[in-house]
C-alpha cells in the first residue's frame, strides 16, 4: 500500500516549489510592466519605493499566502476554511479565496492576449533571423532596411487583424491549458524546472550583451538615482500595485501553489527567496532594456509600447540584433507561460477541490471560458474598439475591453484580496498554528505579524481608495 500522503499530487522537492513559484511571479509583470512603469515614472524614486513595497508589504503577504496553502492543503477556498476552523473563526473568510479564483480567471484571459503579441513577435524575429542565416549573415541587425514607422507599425497591423490576434491567443491559452491539465508534478513542475533555468540563462546573456553594446552607466543612473520630487501619490500608488501584481499576490495563487508543499519546508526563507528572485529579475530586466534604449537615443518613457515598438527598433541598429531580438521575445514568452499556468491553476484547483471535477475537465472549462473572454479583449482593438464595458463608471469611462479587465482586477480585486488576506492572517488566524506552520524565529514572527496586521491593511486600503477615487489625489 502506498501511504495516503504520497498519492496526493504535489511538488517533488522544496526547490521544485521555489522554481515554480518564481516562475509564477516572474512574468510580463517583470519584463514588460516594470520597465514601462519605471520609464514613465522617471526611474530612481519609483524603483526605490517599489523595492520598499516588495519587502515591507509583498514579503509578509507572500508568507501569509504560502502559510494558508501549507496549512490548508487544498484549493484556496478549502484551505482558508480549514485555517478558519482551526482558528475558531467564521468560515466565511473563505469568500476571498473564491474572489481570488474569479480574479485569477479574469487575469489569465487578458494575460493570454498580451502573451499572444509576444508570440507574434517571436514569429517576426524567427522569420527575420531565418532570413539572416539564409543570407549568410546571421549576426546582422534585425529587420534590416525598415524605417522606424514600418517597425512600430507592425503593432498597428497586428491589432487590426482579429484572426491573427485570435490564433496567437489560441496557441498561448491552449499551451497553458495543456500544462495545467497534466497536473503538478507531471505538468507545472516539469515546465518550471525546464523553463526557469533557460529563462535565467537567456536573461543573463542578454543583460551582458546590453552592457557591451549599450550604455549601462546611464541605465543604472536612471534606475537608481532618486529624484524624490518625482515620487507623486500616483507613482507610489503604481509602485504598490505593481508589487502585488509582480509577486502574484491577492488572487490566492500562492495559496494554491503553497498547498502542494510537503511538510517540513521552511516557509520564511522560501518566501524570501521568491521575493528576492522576483525583484532581482525586474531590476535585471531594467538593466537589460534601458542600456539598449539609451544606446540608440530612444525615449524611456514610451509607455506600454516600449517593449513591442521601441526595442525592435533598437535591435535594428545593433550587432546581432536579429538573433538577440529573437532571444529576447523567447525570454518574455517563457516567463509569460510559467505565470499563466499559475493563474489558470487557481480556478482549476477550485473546480477539482470544491466541485469534484477531474483536473483535465476543470482546466478545460476554466481555460475555455477565459479563452472566450480573451476573444472579447482582443476584439476591443478592432471590431469592438468603441465598446467601453464599464463606461458608466468614471474611472473606466475611456477604457477599452482589455484595459477594463486589467484595471478592474488590478485596481480593485487584487488589493481587496490582499487586504482580506492581511486582516485574516494578521488578526484572526490562530497564533499557535501560525508559529507551528511557518517555523519562524520569535523575532521574525513578531515583525511579520506586525507588518501584516498594521502596515499591509493601511497601505493596501490607500491603494484601493485612491485607485477608485483618483480625484482624491488632486
Ligand atoms: N506575477 C506575474 C507577472 O509578473 C503575473 C501573475 C501570475 C499574477 N499569477 C498572478 C498576477 C496572480 C496577479 C496574481 O507577470
Amino acid at each position: 500500500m502506498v501511504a495516503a500522503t504520497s498519492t496526493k499530487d504535489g511538488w517533488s522537492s522544496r526547490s521544485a516549489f521555489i522554481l515554480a513559484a518564481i516562475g509564477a511571479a516572474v512574468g510580463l509583470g517583470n519584463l514588460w510592466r516594470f520597465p514601462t512603469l519605471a520609464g514613465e515614472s522617471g526611474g530612481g524614486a519609483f524603483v526605490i519605493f517599489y523595492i520598499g513595497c516588495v519587502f515591507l508589504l509583498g514579503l509578509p503577504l507572500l508568507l501569509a499566502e504560502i502559510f494558508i496553502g501549507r496549512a490548508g492543503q487544498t484549493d484556496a477556498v478549502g484551505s482558508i476554511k480549514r485555517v478558519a476552523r482551526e482558528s475558531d473563526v467564521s468560515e466565511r473568510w473563505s469568500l476571498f479565496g473564491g474572489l481570488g479564483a474569479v480574479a485569477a480567471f479574469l487575469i489569465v484571459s487578458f494575460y493570454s492576449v498580451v502573451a499572444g503579441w509576444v508570440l507574434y513577435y517571436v514569429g517576426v524575429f524567427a522569420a527575420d533571423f531565418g532570413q539572416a542565416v539564409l543570407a549568410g549573415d546571421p549576426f546582422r541587425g534585425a529587420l534590416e532596411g525598415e524605417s522606424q514607422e514600418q517597425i512600430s507599425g507592425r503593432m498597428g497591423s497586428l491589432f487590426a487583424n482579429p484572426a491573427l490576434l485570435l490564433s496567437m491567443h489560441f496557441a498561448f491559452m491552449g499551451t497553458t491549458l495543456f500544462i495545467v491539465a497534466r497536473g503538478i508534478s507531471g505538468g507545472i513542475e516539469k515546465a518550471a524546472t525546464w523553463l526557469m533555468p533557460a529563462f535565467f540563462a537567456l536573461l543573463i546573456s542578454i543583460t551582458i550583451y546590453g552592457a557591451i553594446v549599450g550604455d549601462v552607466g546611464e541605465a543604472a543612473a536612471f534606475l537608481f538615482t532618486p529624484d524624490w520630487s518625482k515620487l507623486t501619490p500616483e507613482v507610489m500608488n503604481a509602485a504598490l500595485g505593481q508589487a502585488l501584481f509582480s509577486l502574484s499576490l491577492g488572487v490566492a495563487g500562492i495559496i494554491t501553489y503553497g498547498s502542494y508543499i510537503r511538510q517540513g519546508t521552511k516557509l520564511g526563507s522560501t518566501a524570501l527567496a521568491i521575493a528576492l528572485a522576483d525583484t532581482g529579475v525586474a531590476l535585471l530586466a531594467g538593466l537589460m532594456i534601458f542600456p539598449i534604449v539609451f544606446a540608440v537615443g530612444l525615449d524611456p518613457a514610451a509607455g506600454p509600447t516600449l517593449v513591442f515598438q521601441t526595442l525592435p527598433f533598437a535591435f535594428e541598429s545593433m550587432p546581432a540584433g536579429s538573433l538577440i531580438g529573437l532571444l529576447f521575445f523567447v525570454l518574455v514568452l517563457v516567463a509569460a507561460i510559467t505565470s499563466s499556468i499559475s493563474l489558470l491553476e487557481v480556478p482549476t484547483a477550485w473546480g477539482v477541490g470544491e466541485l469534484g471535477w477531474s483536473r483535465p475537465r476543470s482546466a478545460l472549462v476554466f481555460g475555455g471560458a477565459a479563452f472566450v473572454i480573451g476573444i472579447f479583449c482582443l476584439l476591443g482593438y478592432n471590431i469592438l474598439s468603441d465598446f467601453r464595458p464599464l463606461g458608466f463608471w468614471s474611472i473606466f469611462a475611456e477604457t477599452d475591453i482589455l484595459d477594463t479587465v486589467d484595471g478592474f482586477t488590478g485596481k480593485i480585486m487584487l488589493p481587496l484580496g490582499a487586504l482580506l488576506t492581511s486582516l485574516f492572517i494578521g488578526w484572526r488566524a490562530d497564533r499557535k498554528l501560525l508559529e507551528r506552520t511557518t517555523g519562524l524565529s520569535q523575532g521574525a514572527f513578531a515583525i511579520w505579524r506586525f507588518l501584516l496586521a498594521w502596515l499591509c491593511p493601511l497601505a493596501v486600503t490607500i491603494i484601493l481608495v485612491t485607485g477608485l477615487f483618483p480625484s482624491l489625489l488632486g
Side-chain angles (χ1 to χ4, degrees), residues 317-358:
S317 51
M318 314 211 85
S322 182
L323 174 62
I324 295 294
L326 175 60
L327 293 179
F328 174 80
F329 283 104
V330 169
L331 175 81
V332 182
L333 189 66
V334 166
I337 286 203
T338 52
S339 295
S340 65
I341 56 185
S342 79
L343 285 162
L344 184 57
E345 174 63 19
V346 185
T348 301
W350 181 80
V352 172
E354 305 298 312
L355 304 178
W357 288 351
S358 74

Side-chain angles (χ1 to χ4, degrees), residues 105-113 162 165-174 177 344 363-380 384 387 389 401-402 405:
F105 163 77
L106 289 173
I107 294 176
V108 78
S109 71
F110 76 82
Y111 204 84
S112 170
V113 174
L165 286 170
L166 184 68
S167 33
M168 298 296 136
H169 170 48
F170 179 79
F172 188 84
M173 189 66 92
L177 206 160
L344 184 57
L364 192 65
V365 168
F366 290 112
F371 175 68
V372 173
I373 298 182
I375 295 177
F376 283 100
C377 291
L378 66 87
L379 292 179
L384 300 177
F387 183 45
I401 305 176
L402 188 144
V405 184

Side-chain angles (χ1 to χ4, degrees), residues 24-30 107 111 244-249 251 339 342-343 414:
V26 172
L28 297 173
N30 305 61
I107 294 176
Y111 204 84
L244 293 182
F245 187 90
S246 191
L247 292 171
S248 306
L249 295 170
V251 310
S339 295
S342 79
L343 285 162
L414 230 109

Side-chain angles (χ1 to χ4, degrees), residues 29-30 32-43 45-54 57 230-247 278 282 406-407 410-411 414-415 459-468 470 473:
N30 305 61
W32 166 63
R33 220 162 172 256
F34 177 80
T36 300
L37 287 172
E40 285 176 339
S41 318
F46 168 87
V47 173
I48 292 170
F49 188 78
Y50 170 78
I51 296 175
C53 291
V54 165
L57 302 167
K230 294 202 169 131
L231 196 63
T232 60
E234 287 88 346
V235 167
M236 292 193 241
N237 195 296
L240 276 161
Q242 171 65 9
L244 293 182
F245 187 90
S246 191
L247 292 171
D278 186 67
D406 183 5
K411 283 189 177 149
L414 230 109
V460 175
T461 304
I462 295 175
I463 321 186
L464 198 60
V465 173
T466 53
L468 288 177
L473 296 179

